[in-house]
Amino acid sequence: YEKWEKSGVFSCDPASNKAPYTIMMPPPNVTGSLHMGHALNTTLQDVLVRYHRMKGDDTLWQPGTDHAGIATQMVVERQLAEKQIVRGRDLNREQFLEKVWEWKEHSGGTIVNQMRALGATPDWKRERFTMDEGLSRAVRKVFVQLYKEGLIYRDKRLVNWDPKFHTAISDLEVENKEQKGKMWHIRYAVEGEIASYITVATTRPETLLGDTAVAVHPDDERYNDMIGKMVYVPIADRLIPIIADEYADPEQGSGAVKITPAHDFNDFEVGKRHDLPMINILDVNAHLNENVPEAYQGMERFAARKKILVELEELDALVGEEDVKNAIPYGDRSGVVIEPYLTDQWYVDTPTLAKPALEAVRSGETVFHPKQYENMYFRWLEDQQPWCISRQLWWGHQIPVWYAEDGTVFCEETEEEAQAAADQHFGEAGVVLTRDEDVLDTWFSSALWPFSTLGWPDKTPELEKYYTTSVLITGFDIITFWVSRMMMMGIHFMGEVPFKDVYIHALVRDSKGQKMSKSKGNVMDPLELIEEFGADALRFTLTAMAAQGRDIQLSNDRIKGYRNFCTKIWNAARYAQMNGCELDENFDPANVEYTPNQWIISALKDAKTNLEKGIENYRFNEAANAIYSFTWGTFCDWYLEFTKPLLQGESEHTDEIKQTTAWVLDQILTLLNPMMPFITEEISGKMLTAAAWPEYSESLGNNAAREEMDWLIAMISQIRSVRADMNVPAGAQIDLLIKGASETTKSRVQTYAEIIQRMARIVSIDYTDETPKGAVQTVVGEATLMLPIADIIDLDQERARLNKEIGKLEADIQKIDQKLGNEKFVANAPAEIIEEQRTRREAAESTRDKLAGALKQLG
RNA sequence: GGGCGGUUAGCUCAGCGGUAGAGCACUUGCUCGACACGCAAGGGGUCACUGGUUCAAUCCCAGUACCGCCCACCA
């Protein structure tokens, strides 16, 4: 691997006039380690990159890692906790960040080195990190510009609050889990009336302490006369109004709903419409705060719920309880229940930015493969809520905003610029400014990846040449987090889409179809698999299983199968080498004369075409299968066997066979290099990674040769099949008699007599017009093949075999007759289809007649 | 609740208008000098179900049934 890296083949060259081919590597978490998803993702990118590099494109595969805000801060905090060190208490912000950087330096190289073990060839010299200086500058610039354009703003609204990490998180980082819960019905007493109540239902009774209204539907007759009245909130003993709002669904529960604007997203909207007070009853830990009765202050939220229920019961306010299923929001990182929480946060106006991003995919400027994922993209972007980008963390890009004492906001790229702006604003020097403490959502910097890594905001040659990258390779789970945001940012800041194609690959699951996860203990470690089967086997397996639109269920057996393929190639190469097949520089595949040589070259050309089509259409499985079946099923199984004696002996064809064998093998190795870089180079002894992709002339390929070899394969296969069916011992040498052979057949038999004899285990070949007693028969084309094996033949068995064959043919003929007998078919079907049916019928009939004759003779 | 996808050989999956395919597993036979991580020959499928379009449907359309996944505020 080092050889490759030192050679500089990975490097792009913006100065060259070669066409660019660019892939942005999805940056893995800097402190992470390689899992199967990465292995698949990396392999597919590497296959594409190697292919295009060999094709002569100026290839840039841009590598890098992500600082992964919450995840990384979490890991470091946990480590510090083991040493009884607490962020904030024992370490200030600066000291803490120092620890994080230390950790990053310490464990940051793991994943990229693991990618090297896989054989990945990105341009490592250009490796970037989302927190390095250049990318941070891009982040600041983007933030300031969006702020000045009004596309970033600060707002006080409900956010998803993580009580464990004490930060806001975005909608996407919330995971809703369906759970069994309870719904409680609670009655609120109406003010000034005796025994008059309104009943509301809730799954979160503790929030009643923050209720500021009860809402009913304006058209709900049951409650018409109650609108405007006041009710007592139990326990809190506050008076709140009954209001009319269409949000209340008469069909739902009692038709009356409690409104807690500070702790529920819907209620928040209702609260705004009715100008209700918003009572926040929680602190950052989701413990109850000073706005609740003293007995509850400082209580943990779920403990408070229990206590509330007990007290409601005592007050006779709890009038019902039912089992329900409901979706509970959890933080995807912290695993704790998320609280809607009222705070000031920064937002990106994604509803606005989404519009051009949607249009770019609708118009086909960017195309998803497989296409159906565009639906996911559309659905997500069409329904954009403002993106909450501020996080109350320390690890990340600090928001470039400074506040004056009176709260005036100065958003600039540097502190100096902010100071200058403030001084000018207030008309005095040295205004005291405080920087916003929050950092940005990790995905904010990720969204800039396609241009920030190329040097933006500078106008670099790289940016000029490689932007609008060729393709993005990623998993579907990240379309919303990353792809859509890169589209929005890319279009806004570069004026062009960030990639032409987006290939969405499958999720790697275990052999039972389970998602791999540490808690299930079913993770397969790519490094262990590389250790056991080799990187090439793993790469080839992943490539061969990467069919579009389906998950990959990976099993060791499958990898083992492809490991065997590696061994097979290895053995074929050893065989070629042992027999003195050496690549001749002057060998011209178009000039070979020996038919099997023409044939194998022609078949290679087909395989290459299919391989290329597969790669170019992102049908990696088809690409892998094309080269696999050619190599094993055609080259090894037939070609090497056909040519064995001539190769090893002396004949007029020997030299040409040696050269052809060496050349085809070399081509196979070259074509396989993108998928199996290690073994192909080891065998060939050349640095194929830097080799040119083979190009064949249009005219290469010989149909006559293919027809002839198909015939030869049929001859051998037929005889082998009959032998096996009739239990002729494998070692037994028998005679072959041919009846009704055409001149062509005779001439072919003569040419390939040795091959037929050797591969079908035949002693002699003769022609006859008669059928000897006790011969088993089969048909190839116009000729009937007879194997006189009277001493071992079992007549009943032969009768049964022939009957079975005849039966198959008759069924076939009958089916075709049905079609041909259908007037509408003859009238409407294309001529060549009809012709094909006729030809097939004739062939089947002729074979059947011959076999029927054979059957008759058996008596 | 909304959306997307799946249902093809024992298993894992390709194919997606004109004779049902692969790998693995299985059966049988092979110490035929590259390879037993191999060679050869086999068995095994009303392509989920019901209708429709078509000369022709595993493939297109509609519906049904299961199974996944994603999104969603039902108090």
Side-chain angles (χ1 to χ4, degrees), chain A residues 492-552:
Chain A
H492 191 74
F493 285 93
M494 297 296 296
E496 281 174 58
V497 294
F499 12 77
K500 295 188 198 93
D501 287 332
V502 177
Y503 175 76
I504 302 295
H505 65 238
L507 201 70
V508 184
R509 297 171 176 278
D510 74 2
S511 57
K512 291 180 198 117
Q514 299 277 314
K515 206 165 166 172
M516 291 186 192
S517 75
K518 277 183 198 157
S519 54
K520 280 187 208 141
N522 63 347
V523 284
M524 295 171 84
D525 180 354
L527 295 162
E528 279 171 25
L529 294 172
I530 289 172
E531 187 73 24
E532 189 176 355
F533 301 107
D536 286 334
L538 177 61
R539 288 172 61 111
F540 200 84
T541 306
L542 292 171
T543 311
M545 294 185 79
Q548 288 196 356
R550 254 220 228 201
D551 288 347
I552 293 179

Side-chain angles (χ1 to χ4, degrees), chain A residues 301-460:
Chain A
R301 53 187 159 160
F302 298 113
R305 177 179 302 174
K306 276 190 192 147
K307 188 171 159 71
I308 294 252
L309 287 169
V310 171
E311 202 173 341
L312 285 174
E313 188 100 50
E314 285 165 3
L315 291 171
D316 205 21
L318 195 60
V319 293
E321 175 182 313
E322 58 182 305
D323 291 322
V324 290
K325 273 190 194 168
N326 55 348
I328 309 286
Y330 285 85
D332 63 354
R333 290 287 172 183
S334 64
V336 301
V337 175
I338 293 303
E339 286 294 337
Y341 195 58
L342 194 60
T343 53
D344 282 312
Q345 301 288 345
W346 288 95
Y347 293 89
V348 173
D349 181 2
T350 37
T352 300
L353 290 171
K355 282 177 193 143
L358 278 165
E359 183 48 34
V361 174
R362 288 211 183 93
S363 70
E365 259 183 280
T366 295
V367 180
F368 280 69
H369 307 268
K371 197 106 177 144
Q372 76 240 23
Y373 283 109
E374 290 183 359
N375 286 322
M376 193 189 259
Y377 176 85
F378 290 145
R379 270 184 54 79
W380 164 248
L381 281 183
E382 279 163 1
D383 188 32
Q384 272 299 301
Q385 298 295 313
W387 174 19
C388 175
I389 49 170
S390 43
R391 297 287 179 277
Q392 288 67 53
L393 304 172
W394 284 355
W395 177 241
H397 297 100
Q398 195 171 352
I399 290 177
V401 164
W402 286 261
Y403 303 100
E405 277 173 0
D406 69 349
T408 310
V409 171
F410 298 95
C411 178
E412 299 292 344
E413 286 177 53
T414 63
E415 186 161 6
E416 293 73 45
E417 283 168 353
Q419 189 69 55
D423 292 352
Q424 193 185 357
H425 177 82
F426 290 108
E428 57 179 285
V431 176
V432 178
L433 293 179
T434 324
R435 182 161 185 180
D436 194 310
E437 300 230 318
D438 291 353
V439 300
L440 290 165
D441 182 3
T442 299
W443 296 103
F444 190 87
S445 53
S446 314
L448 318 181
W449 190 250
F451 51 93
S452 63
T453 51
L454 296 174
W456 188 90
D458 294 335
K459 286 189 176 156
T460 61

Side-chain angles (χ1 to χ4, degrees), chain A residues 715-716 719-720 723 755-762:
Chain A
M715 284 288 285
I716 295 167
I719 297 170
R720 280 173 170 176
R723 286 179 64 121
I755 293 176
I756 296 168
Q757 289 177 6
R758 175 168 43 89
M759 293 180 71
R761 316 230 105 199
I762 296 294

Side-chain angles (χ1 to χ4, degrees), chain A residues 161-425:
Chain A
W161 183 260
D162 188 318
K164 181 171 174 191
F165 292 139
H166 298 174
T167 180
I169 57 178
S170 73
D171 295 348
L172 274 180
E173 293 161 287
V174 176
E175 223 174 307
N176 286 303
K177 291 187 200 167
E178 185 129 305
Q179 291 190 335
K180 274 186 211 158
K182 286 206 193 294
M183 171 115 75
W184 291 278
H185 296 260
I186 305 166
R187 58 183 193 182
Y188 291 10
V190 180
E191 183 200 21
E193 292 177 23
I194 295 163
S196 171
Y197 302 97
I198 192 160
T199 301
V200 297
T202 181
T203 54
R204 304 192 52 199
E206 71 280 11
T207 61
L208 68 79
L209 298 174
D211 282 1
T212 53
V214 170
V216 296
H217 197 276
D219 301 336
D220 192 337
E221 291 175 6
R222 291 171 295 177
Y223 298 112
N224 254 342
D225 56 345
M226 295 185 90
I227 295 167
K229 291 185 178 168
M230 300 297 274
V231 294
Y232 285 101
V233 180
I235 302 171
D237 264 342
R238 277 185 290 106
L239 271 178
I240 58 173
I242 295 175
I243 59 170
D245 192 283
E246 293 188 348
Y247 165 67
D249 180 355
E251 307 291 312
Q252 205 69 49
S254 63
V257 56
K258 63 195 259 329
I259 301 294
T260 321
H263 295 283
D264 181 284
F265 288 98
N266 289 308
D267 293 3
F268 180 74
E269 297 301 322
V270 176
K272 279 213 293 205
R273 280 200 287 275
H274 295 270
D275 207 16
L276 297 172
M278 305 208 175
I279 302 177
N280 179 10
I281 60 164
L282 297 176
D283 65 13
V284 292
N285 294 305
H287 293 182
L288 277 73
N289 67 12
E290 69 283 358
N291 293 330
V292 301
E294 213 161 308
Y296 288 90
Q297 288 183 14
M299 260 184 118
E300 194 273 331
R301 53 187 159 160
F302 298 113
R305 177 179 302 174
K306 276 190 192 147
K307 188 171 159 71
I308 294 252
L309 287 169
V310 171
E311 202 173 341
L312 285 174
E313 188 100 50
E314 285 165 3
L315 291 171
D316 205 21
L318 195 60
V319 293
E321 175 182 313
E322 58 182 305
D323 291 322
V324 290
K325 273 190 194 168
N326 55 348
I328 309 286
Y330 285 85
D332 63 354
R333 290 287 172 183
S334 64
V336 301
V337 175
I338 293 303
E339 286 294 337
Y341 195 58
L342 194 60
T343 53
D344 282 312
Q345 301 288 345
W346 288 95
Y347 293 89
V348 173
D349 181 2
T350 37
T352 300
L353 290 171
K355 282 177 193 143
L358 278 165
E359 183 48 34
V361 174
R362 288 211 183 93
S363 70
E365 259 183 280
T366 295
V367 180
F368 280 69
H369 307 268
K371 197 106 177 144
Q372 76 240 23
Y373 283 109
E374 290 183 359
N375 286 322
M376 193 189 259
Y377 176 85
F378 290 145
R379 270 184 54 79
W380 164 248
L381 281 183
E382 279 163 1
D383 188 32
Q384 272 299 301
Q385 298 295 313
W387 174 19
C388 175
I389 49 170
S390 43
R391 297 287 179 277
Q392 288 67 53
L393 304 172
W394 284 355
W395 177 241
H397 297 100
Q398 195 171 352
I399 290 177
V401 164
W402 286 261
Y403 303 100
E405 277 173 0
D406 69 349
T408 310
V409 171
F410 298 95
C411 178
E412 299 292 344
E413 286 177 53
T414 63
E415 186 161 6
E416 293 73 45
E417 283 168 353
Q419 189 69 55
D423 292 352
Q424 193 185 357
H425 177 82

